[in-house]
Amino acid sequence: MPEPLVSILIPAYNHARFIEATLASIASQDYPRLEVLVLDDGSHDGTAAAAEAFLAARAGRFERARVWSQPNAGITRTLNRLLDTALGDVAMPIASDDLLLPGAVRHRMAALAAAPAALALFTDCVVVDDAGRRLHESGIRDLYGGSLEALATNRALAATLFRRWCVPGGVLSLRREAFAGPGAVGRLDEALVVEDFDQYMRLALTGRLRFDPAPTSAYRLHDGQTIWTIEDVMPTQIQHVLDKVAPGARGIAGVLMRQNVEGLEIGGLPRAHPRRLWLAARRRAAWAVHRWQVGRPPVGPLPDLNSQRHGRGADA
């Protein structure tokens, strides 16, 4: 049986100076069956032309390769269009300024094969600057303050990610079931400007998201990321996600999400009000169960994406 086809999805926006390095990191993978799709989201710096030239010079390396352009639509619409175009059994989105580390695709596919019930898998990454110099060995731990140990238990992932959102871009792999066909929970909410918190929470709440701590990509930090300009929308984005997923969320994550939403409604109540005390007791009980499940308490406060910067493809 041939190995599964893997679709590398690249939402590109004004990254002409980075796109060749991104594509080179994909071309150097030791996995044989790759599809590379580059959707240029209205760039004005020659990103699409640079990608086309790189792929044309390597005809035959990929099972399928395509570059095309659209008027600027934003990251969520761009990624959904890439998902609609992908033919692979597994999709791996990566920003047009990030890199895949050597052996990344094969490692992720082996990790997915070892977890046949998983809809999706995410890994750690290293962090580099605009010149490719390494800044951090772990994007999750060193850049965003997450706990690799808590995530690696693969228990209560939704609650752990909700408590401390800490996942950089370019580390997610999605089985086709997650992004195509009925009930595809891995597709993106196009009402959001920053997509990944919502996508990960919906995947985690299914109980079929897995974490592998090996770094498989290089997440690039640089001044050109337009995410710096949209931090003021982040609280609204988070509230949109909670309003949508909290009512149906189960387990520890459901308790914490609903309490976060309900907490907004009781802000003016006295500290000894029964409703406030009930919510506090329920929260303490949920975290006691969480500590028992993951073996240690989570790190950091409730998610504050207004202070956490993430670069993402067509909007990065």
Side-chain angles (χ1 to χ4, degrees), residues 136-162:
H136 301 292
E137 296 301 318
S138 168
I140 288 175
R141 181 193 62 219
D142 303 334
L143 185 62
Y144 293 138
S147 167
L148 295 174
E149 294 82 1
L151 292 171
T153 65
N154 279 302
R155 296 190 295 271
L157 264 183
T160 302
L161 290 173
F162 176 70

mmCIF file of all heavy atoms in Angstrom, residues 136-162:
data_model
loop_
_atom_site.group_PDB
_atom_site.id
_atom_site.type_symbol
_atom_site.label_atom_id
_atom_site.label_comp_id
_atom_site.label_asym_id
_atom_site.label_seq_id
_atom_site.Cartn_x
_atom_site.Cartn_y
_atom_site.Cartn_z
ATOM 1 N N HIS A 136 14.353 30.255 20.573
ATOM 2 C CA HIS A 136 13.842 29.404 21.647
ATOM 3 C C HIS A 136 13.820 27.963 21.166
ATOM 4 O O HIS A 136 13.551 27.686 19.989
ATOM 5 C CB HIS A 136 12.422 29.813 22.056
ATOM 6 C CG HIS A 136 12.293 31.221 22.536
ATOM 7 N ND1 HIS A 136 12.855 31.652 23.724
ATOM 8 C CD2 HIS A 136 11.673 32.299 22.005
ATOM 9 C CE1 HIS A 136 12.574 32.933 23.898
ATOM 10 N NE2 HIS A 136 11.864 33.346 22.860
ATOM 11 N N GLU A 137 14.040 27.047 22.093
ATOM 12 C CA GLU A 137 13.982 25.621 21.776
ATOM 13 C C GLU A 137 12.560 25.082 21.794
ATOM 14 O O GLU A 137 12.279 24.044 21.204
ATOM 15 C CB GLU A 137 14.848 24.831 22.751
ATOM 16 C CG GLU A 137 16.325 25.155 22.655
ATOM 17 C CD GLU A 137 16.881 24.877 21.267
ATOM 18 O OE1 GLU A 137 16.533 23.837 20.677
ATOM 19 O OE2 GLU A 137 17.663 25.718 20.764
ATOM 20 N N SER A 138 11.655 25.778 22.463
ATOM 21 C CA SER A 138 10.261 25.347 22.545
ATOM 22 C C SER A 138 9.345 26.550 22.437
ATOM 23 O O SER A 138 9.350 27.425 23.314
ATOM 24 C CB SER A 138 9.994 24.613 23.868
ATOM 25 O OG SER A 138 8.601 24.442 24.080
ATOM 26 N N GLY A 139 8.552 26.606 21.374
ATOM 27 C CA GLY A 139 7.595 27.693 21.246
ATOM 28 C C GLY A 139 6.524 27.632 22.314
ATOM 29 O O GLY A 139 6.093 28.656 22.844
ATOM 30 N N ILE A 140 6.083 26.426 22.648
ATOM 31 C CA ILE A 140 5.024 26.266 23.644
ATOM 32 C C ILE A 140 5.513 26.682 25.029
ATOM 33 O O ILE A 140 4.846 27.451 25.723
ATOM 34 C CB ILE A 140 4.521 24.806 23.649
ATOM 35 C CG1 ILE A 140 3.698 24.542 22.384
ATOM 36 C CG2 ILE A 140 3.696 24.506 24.899
ATOM 37 C CD1 ILE A 140 3.241 23.111 22.223
ATOM 38 N N ARG A 141 6.682 26.201 25.426
ATOM 39 C CA ARG A 141 7.176 26.460 26.781
ATOM 40 C C ARG A 141 7.870 27.814 26.893
ATOM 41 O O ARG A 141 7.573 28.619 27.789
ATOM 42 C CB ARG A 141 8.147 25.341 27.181
ATOM 43 C CG ARG A 141 8.720 25.476 28.598
ATOM 44 C CD ARG A 141 9.898 24.528 28.775
ATOM 45 N NE ARG A 141 10.992 24.852 27.852
ATOM 46 C CZ ARG A 141 11.736 23.933 27.227
ATOM 47 N NH1 ARG A 141 11.507 22.644 27.403
ATOM 48 N NH2 ARG A 141 12.719 24.318 26.418
ATOM 49 N N ASP A 142 8.812 28.085 25.986
ATOM 50 C CA ASP A 142 9.684 29.244 26.146
ATOM 51 C C ASP A 142 9.049 30.538 25.650
ATOM 52 O O ASP A 142 9.340 31.609 26.194
ATOM 53 C CB ASP A 142 11.001 29.014 25.397
ATOM 54 C CG ASP A 142 11.726 27.763 25.859
ATOM 55 O OD1 ASP A 142 11.524 27.360 27.019
ATOM 56 O OD2 ASP A 142 12.472 27.171 25.058
ATOM 57 N N LEU A 143 8.211 30.444 24.613
ATOM 58 C CA LEU A 143 7.616 31.657 24.062
ATOM 59 C C LEU A 143 6.293 31.995 24.727
ATOM 60 O O LEU A 143 6.028 33.148 25.055
ATOM 61 C CB LEU A 143 7.416 31.489 22.554
ATOM 62 C CG LEU A 143 6.907 32.716 21.789
ATOM 63 C CD1 LEU A 143 7.914 33.870 21.892
ATOM 64 C CD2 LEU A 143 6.638 32.372 20.332
ATOM 65 N N TYR A 144 5.451 30.969 24.972
ATOM 66 C CA TYR A 144 4.092 31.218 25.465
ATOM 67 C C TYR A 144 3.814 30.647 26.849
ATOM 68 O O TYR A 144 2.683 30.674 27.308
ATOM 69 C CB TYR A 144 3.074 30.681 24.458
ATOM 70 C CG TYR A 144 3.090 31.449 23.158
ATOM 71 C CD1 TYR A 144 3.014 30.775 21.938
ATOM 72 C CD2 TYR A 144 3.210 32.835 23.135
ATOM 73 C CE1 TYR A 144 3.032 31.475 20.739
ATOM 74 C CE2 TYR A 144 3.246 33.526 21.952
ATOM 75 C CZ TYR A 144 3.154 32.846 20.758
ATOM 76 O OH TYR A 144 3.185 33.542 19.573
ATOM 77 N N GLY A 145 4.825 30.102 27.506
ATOM 78 C CA GLY A 145 4.664 29.724 28.907
ATOM 79 C C GLY A 145 3.793 28.522 29.167
ATOM 80 O O GLY A 145 3.258 28.366 30.275
ATOM 81 N N GLY A 146 3.617 27.643 28.186
ATOM 82 C CA GLY A 146 2.822 26.448 28.399
ATOM 83 C C GLY A 146 3.608 25.338 29.068
ATOM 84 O O GLY A 146 4.832 25.393 29.185
ATOM 85 N N SER A 147 2.899 24.311 29.503
ATOM 86 C CA SER A 147 3.518 23.169 30.174
ATOM 87 C C SER A 147 3.527 21.982 29.222
ATOM 88 O O SER A 147 2.482 21.403 28.919
ATOM 89 C CB SER A 147 2.741 22.805 31.443
ATOM 90 O OG SER A 147 3.155 21.545 31.933
ATOM 91 N N LEU A 148 4.709 21.598 28.754
ATOM 92 C CA LEU A 148 4.830 20.429 27.885
ATOM 93 C C LEU A 148 4.403 19.168 28.624
ATOM 94 O O LEU A 148 3.795 18.263 28.035
ATOM 95 C CB LEU A 148 6.275 20.289 27.395
ATOM 96 C CG LEU A 148 6.794 21.416 26.499
ATOM 97 C CD1 LEU A 148 8.277 21.213 26.219
ATOM 98 C CD2 LEU A 148 6.018 21.472 25.196
ATOM 99 N N GLU A 149 4.709 19.100 29.927
ATOM 100 C CA GLU A 149 4.369 17.918 30.699
ATOM 101 C C GLU A 149 2.856 17.748 30.805
ATOM 102 O O GLU A 149 2.334 16.636 30.662
ATOM 103 C CB GLU A 149 4.976 18.008 32.099
ATOM 104 C CG GLU A 149 6.497 17.970 32.122
ATOM 105 C CD GLU A 149 7.133 19.329 31.829
ATOM 106 O OE1 GLU A 149 6.379 20.315 31.630
ATOM 107 O OE2 GLU A 149 8.369 19.410 31.794
ATOM 108 N N ALA A 150 2.132 18.833 31.048
ATOM 109 C CA ALA A 150 0.681 18.731 31.162
ATOM 110 C C ALA A 150 0.057 18.344 29.828
ATOM 111 O O ALA A 150 -0.826 17.488 29.765
ATOM 112 C CB ALA A 150 0.104 20.059 31.659
ATOM 113 N N LEU A 151 0.523 18.959 28.747
ATOM 114 C CA LEU A 151 -0.029 18.639 27.432
ATOM 115 C C LEU A 151 0.266 17.197 27.043
ATOM 116 O O LEU A 151 -0.556 16.516 26.438
ATOM 117 C CB LEU A 151 0.538 19.589 26.377
ATOM 118 C CG LEU A 151 0.105 21.047 26.471
ATOM 119 C CD1 LEU A 151 0.910 21.895 25.494
ATOM 120 C CD2 LEU A 151 -1.383 21.208 26.202
ATOM 121 N N ALA A 152 1.468 16.714 27.400
ATOM 122 C CA ALA A 152 1.903 15.393 26.968
ATOM 123 C C ALA A 152 1.123 14.259 27.606
ATOM 124 O O ALA A 152 1.178 13.123 27.124
ATOM 125 C CB ALA A 152 3.396 15.210 27.241
ATOM 126 N N THR A 153 0.360 14.533 28.673
ATOM 127 C CA THR A 153 -0.477 13.481 29.228
ATOM 128 C C THR A 153 -1.605 13.123 28.271
ATOM 129 O O THR A 153 -2.171 12.038 28.352
ATOM 130 C CB THR A 153 -1.108 13.923 30.563
ATOM 131 O OG1 THR A 153 -2.007 15.008 30.335
ATOM 132 C CG2 THR A 153 -0.037 14.322 31.570
ATOM 133 N N ASN A 154 -1.965 14.057 27.374
ATOM 134 C CA ASN A 154 -3.085 13.879 26.455
ATOM 135 C C ASN A 154 -4.395 13.602 27.191
ATOM 136 O O ASN A 154 -5.303 12.973 26.652
ATOM 137 C CB ASN A 154 -2.789 12.772 25.430
ATOM 138 C CG ASN A 154 -1.938 13.283 24.288
ATOM 139 O OD1 ASN A 154 -2.314 14.230 23.602
ATOM 140 N ND2 ASN A 154 -0.774 12.687 24.105
ATOM 141 N N ARG A 155 -4.489 14.079 28.432
ATOM 142 C CA ARG A 155 -5.737 14.027 29.178
ATOM 143 C C ARG A 155 -6.142 15.459 29.491
ATOM 144 O O ARG A 155 -5.319 16.306 29.793
ATOM 145 C CB ARG A 155 -5.568 13.228 30.475
ATOM 146 C CG ARG A 155 -5.245 11.765 30.262
ATOM 147 C CD ARG A 155 -5.334 10.982 31.580
ATOM 148 N NE ARG A 155 -4.335 11.420 32.529
ATOM 149 C CZ ARG A 155 -3.097 10.908 32.605
ATOM 150 N NH1 ARG A 155 -2.714 9.967 31.756
ATOM 151 N NH2 ARG A 155 -2.251 11.338 33.507
ATOM 152 N N ALA A 156 -7.432 15.718 29.429
ATOM 153 C CA ALA A 156 -7.953 17.056 29.720
ATOM 154 C C ALA A 156 -7.271 18.117 28.869
ATOM 155 O O ALA A 156 -6.979 19.216 29.337
ATOM 156 C CB ALA A 156 -7.804 17.383 31.208
ATOM 157 N N LEU A 157 -7.018 17.794 27.583
ATOM 158 C CA LEU A 157 -6.333 18.751 26.708
ATOM 159 C C LEU A 157 -7.131 20.035 26.540
ATOM 160 O O LEU A 157 -6.567 21.124 26.510
ATOM 161 C CB LEU A 157 -6.086 18.120 25.331
ATOM 162 C CG LEU A 157 -4.732 17.484 25.064
ATOM 163 C CD1 LEU A 157 -4.659 16.980 23.643
ATOM 164 C CD2 LEU A 157 -3.600 18.450 25.353
ATOM 165 N N ALA A 158 -8.445 19.913 26.412
ATOM 166 C CA ALA A 158 -9.257 21.117 26.211
ATOM 167 C C ALA A 158 -9.131 22.054 27.400
ATOM 168 O O ALA A 158 -8.971 23.268 27.237
ATOM 169 C CB ALA A 158 -10.723 20.729 25.975
ATOM 170 N N ALA A 159 -9.193 21.502 28.614
ATOM 171 C CA ALA A 159 -9.072 22.340 29.805
ATOM 172 C C ALA A 159 -7.681 22.936 29.917
ATOM 173 O O ALA A 159 -7.512 24.105 30.284
ATOM 174 C CB ALA A 159 -9.389 21.516 31.058
ATOM 175 N N THR A 160 -6.645 22.155 29.587
ATOM 176 C CA THR A 160 -5.278 22.648 29.675
ATOM 177 C C THR A 160 -5.045 23.783 28.692
ATOM 178 O O THR A 160 -4.430 24.804 29.033
ATOM 179 C CB THR A 160 -4.289 21.499 29.414
ATOM 180 O OG1 THR A 160 -4.520 20.451 30.358
ATOM 181 C CG2 THR A 160 -2.851 21.973 29.545
ATOM 182 N N LEU A 161 -5.534 23.633 27.454
ATOM 183 C CA LEU A 161 -5.356 24.688 26.450
ATOM 184 C C LEU A 161 -6.196 25.905 26.775
ATOM 185 O O LEU A 161 -5.796 27.042 26.497
ATOM 186 C CB LEU A 161 -5.716 24.147 25.065
ATOM 187 C CG LEU A 161 -4.744 23.117 24.481
ATOM 188 C CD1 LEU A 161 -5.298 22.543 23.183
ATOM 189 C CD2 LEU A 161 -3.369 23.720 24.250
ATOM 190 N N PHE A 162 -7.368 25.687 27.361
ATOM 191 C CA PHE A 162 -8.197 26.828 27.736
ATOM 192 C C PHE A 162 -7.534 27.629 28.856
ATOM 193 O O PHE A 162 -7.535 28.860 28.841
ATOM 194 C CB PHE A 162 -9.578 26.350 28.176
ATOM 195 C CG PHE A 162 -10.456 27.459 28.681
ATOM 196 C CD1 PHE A 162 -10.958 28.412 27.804
ATOM 197 C CD2 PHE A 162 -10.772 27.565 30.021
ATOM 198 C CE1 PHE A 162 -11.764 29.451 28.263
ATOM 199 C CE2 PHE A 162 -11.579 28.588 30.487
ATOM 200 C CZ PHE A 162 -12.070 29.530 29.608
#
